Amino acid sequence: MDALARFPGSYWRDLFDSRVGRTTWPYGSGVWSKKEFVLPEIDSDHIVSLFEGNSNLFWAERLGREHLGGMNDLWVKQCGISHTGSFKDLGMTALVSQVNRLRRAPLSRPINGVGCASTGDTSAALSAYCAAAGIPAIVFLPADRISLQQLIQPIANGATVLSLDTDFDGCMRLIREVTAELPIYLANSLNSLRLEGQKTAAIEILQQFNWQVPDWVIIPGGNLGNIYAFYKGFEMCRVLGLVDRVPRLVCAQAANANPLYRYYKSGWTDFQSLVAGTTFASAIQIGDPVSIDRAVVALKATDGIVEEATEEELMDATALADLTGMFACPHTGVALAALFKLRDQGIIGTNDRTVVVSTAHGLKFTQSKIDYHDKNIKDMLCQYANPPISVKPDFGSVMDVLQKKLNGKV
Ligand SMILES: Cc1ncc(COP(=O)(O)O)c(C=O)c1O
Ligand SMILES: N[C@@H](CCOP(=O)(O)O)C(=O)O
């Protein structure tokens, strides 16, 4: 930070702005366009990048206007529109690049592979970046708890996939033990290299608002590395003079997997890990988050809030987002459901500039959408379901249906 502070904030803003849209290696990546803030000492030849970052900031105009009491400054940061379909690419490029550097001469460290425990997105990102670099990847997955789309990613990318009959927290405990014994580098967000890459999403948001600071940023939380990464990105920009304040952060959890929410509600006095229950937001089905202390730092420093969402709330919020032009994953639904609640309580105001962080691509989680639109979820109304209409293949039948539809009778 001392070295970076030798230059004024305007220097960094201009430098980062000058790299947007560049193809010069590695600055076309949203992460490496901020190389000096991420991993300054790395040689560009050692970087393993798939041109991650630079994701769209979606103006959720209709959702805000029609469903959130006329909110007019609501944005969704589409971190899931990325090479492997989640924000994990941002951190994995930093981590795998550093491993690549360590394995090569002159350092030539004996790292035989890189490993992680995963609910499906970290494993996909690790496998893709390792495959691109020719580094062995080992992933520990909780059997039958991740989507098929997520499962096929490491398989296709040639990783060693261990499907374990336990939950994510069990996988996490095992990978920590294994990486302590074998020359396998740990790729979960315990490793701060991941957070260095992930924090660039926060800097990118500031840049996309022409270095204006939003009032609120809402982030779904599981293992809790990302909430800290966002805080770090915002705080770094404040300390180095790129902006003059930081936004208030909201961490949103599924009610079925909510150890941070419970801790927050206890006034930060009583943290209890738990066995996470099943949730459609399966990538945040985590009961013993490794970055719990970092999350508390981030929330306290930003006057932050923790909210939770039930299964029905998160699925309805996801459906509404989709009906207004998105294709959100259930984790984004958790964050949107938290926004609905904070708007109802009057905590987030109509004119507050608010960013919801979308963490994965909806196409990785289609089964829950299929079940919702089929109204095939036990004890759930599925009030925004839009099932397909079966019609006989003749002109009269088709016309009947369309006329009823146009008259609002279907
Ligand atoms: C899609 C998705 N959203 C949100 C999260 C939560 O991020 P974190 O574990 O950093 O809290 C994860 C992973 O945990 C994820 O895969
Ligand atoms: N959702 C994550 C859970 C692990 O989180 P990490 O950020 O610590 O790797 C996943 O996709 O595996």
Side-chain angles (χ1 to χ4, degrees):
M1 289 298 279
D2 287 347
L4 297 173
R6 281 196 227 119
F7 298 87
S10 57
Y11 170 86
W12 295 115
R13 286 196 304 259
D14 291 346
L15 181 69
F16 297 158
D17 285 347
S18 77
R19 289 173 177 165
V20 173
R22 289 272 294 277
T23 51
T24 319
W25 182 263
Y27 301 123
S29 153
V31 172
W32 297 108
S33 65
K34 295 159 185 74
K35 181 171 183 259
E36 295 80 358
F37 278 26
V38 174
L39 207 52
E41 80 279 18
I42 196 165
D43 189 308
S44 289
D45 287 345
H46 289 154
I47 288 176
V48 184
S49 169
L50 305 173
F51 272 31
E52 49 292 309
N54 288 325
S55 59
N56 182 26
L57 191 56
F58 178 99
W59 183 23
E61 188 193 5
R62 230 187 113 204
L63 185 69
R65 184 168 23 90
E66 293 181 16
H67 300 288
L68 283 151
M71 260 188 116
N72 55 17
D73 210 354
L74 173 62
W75 304 80
V76 177
K77 178 66 174 162
Q78 297 277 29
C79 294
I81 300 181
S82 177
H83 186 75
T84 70
S86 87
F87 73 96
K88 305 286 180 174
D89 292 351
L90 303 173
M92 215 50 88
T93 185
L95 184 135
V96 175
S97 297
Q98 180 73 336
V99 171
N100 194 34
R101 169 177 180 242
L102 291 170
R103 278 165 55 101
R104 291 196 192 191
L107 297 174
S108 306
R109 296 280 172 78
I111 299 173
N112 291 357
V114 190
C116 73
S118 184
T119 52
D121 291 324
T122 296
S123 44
L126 177 65
S127 307
Y129 282 82
C130 281
I135 299 171
I138 298 119
V139 306
F140 287 12
L141 303 177
D144 303 324
R145 284 179 169 90
I146 72 172
S147 77
L148 205 57
Q149 292 84 353
Q150 290 175 310
L151 176 61
I152 195 59
Q153 291 184 287
I155 292 173
N157 285 139
T160 300
V161 178
L162 268 56
S163 176
L164 301 162
D165 188 15
T166 178
D167 58 7
F168 168 79
D169 299 298
C171 292
M172 190 72 227
R173 280 189 289 276
L174 272 169
I175 193 79
R176 290 175 78 166
E177 284 172 33
V178 168
T179 51
E181 285 299 316
L182 296 175
I184 297 174
Y185 199 82
L186 181 64
N188 283 102
S189 59
L190 260 183
N191 189 322
S192 57
L193 282 165
R194 283 270 311 284
L195 307 185
E196 293 305 312
Q198 285 171 213
K199 79 182 179 196
T200 60
I203 307 173
E204 219 170 82
I205 289 172
L206 298 174
Q207 193 171 20
Q208 285 168 311
F209 284 133
N210 207 13
W211 304 103
Q212 304 290 310
V213 182
D215 298 304
W216 298 93
V217 176
I218 307 177
I219 305 163
N223 223 9
L224 301 180
N226 211 27
I227 183 91
Y228 184 75
F230 268 80
Y231 163 65
K232 196 166 182 203
F234 286 129
E235 177 64 1
M236 201 168 171
C237 287
R238 188 192 66 77
V239 172
L240 293 172
L242 284 77
V243 293
D244 59 5
R245 64 188 179 92
V246 296
R248 291 183 70 181
L249 297 185
V250 178
C251 190
Q253 293 210 295
N256 286 353
N258 62 354
L260 180 73
Y261 177 78
R262 291 174 188 228
Y263 191 18
Y264 171 74
K265 283 290 179 189
S266 77
W268 302 124
T269 56
D270 182 27
F271 175 72
Q272 305 273 353
S273 62
L274 47 83
V275 176
T278 308
T279 167
F280 287 112
S282 54
I284 53 174
Q285 192 175 319
I286 296 173
D288 192 10
V290 297
S291 291
I292 183 74
D293 295 336
R294 285 168 166 166
V296 176
V297 168
L299 288 160
K300 285 187 176 168
T302 59
D303 193 15
I305 291 176
V306 186
E307 235 334 323
E308 66 170 1
T310 64
E311 294 302 288
E312 183 144 21
E313 287 166 344
L314 75 90
M315 288 304 288
D316 282 346
T318 307
L320 276 178
D322 291 358
L323 290 170
T324 55
M326 285 170 256
F327 195 72
C329 73
H331 321 84
T332 308
V334 171
L336 287 166
L339 169 63
F340 276 92
K341 288 183 160 176
L342 295 171
R343 280 285 298 132
D344 281 350
Q345 294 161 25
I347 294 173
I348 295 186
T350 321
N351 298 318
D352 289 358
R353 174 169 280 182
T354 303
V355 179
V356 171
V357 177
S358 175
T359 45
H361 201 298
L363 283 172
K364 292 180 105 175
F365 300 92
T366 44
Q367 193 55 52
S368 59
K369 289 184 192 290
I370 292 168
D371 292 342
Y372 184 91
H373 289 287
D374 258 358
K375 293 197 173 219
N376 189 21
I377 302 175
K378 194 167 171 286
D379 298 331
M380 198 180 284
L381 202 55
C382 304
Q383 56 176 316
Y384 304 113
N386 177 35
I389 307 165
S390 293
V391 196
K392 276 204 228 141
D394 62 65
F395 183 75
S397 307
V398 169
M399 286 298 281
D400 273 357
V401 170
L402 291 184
Q403 265 158 2
K404 274 191 204 146
K405 182 85 193 171
L406 295 176
N407 293 330
K409 288 187 185 151
V410 172

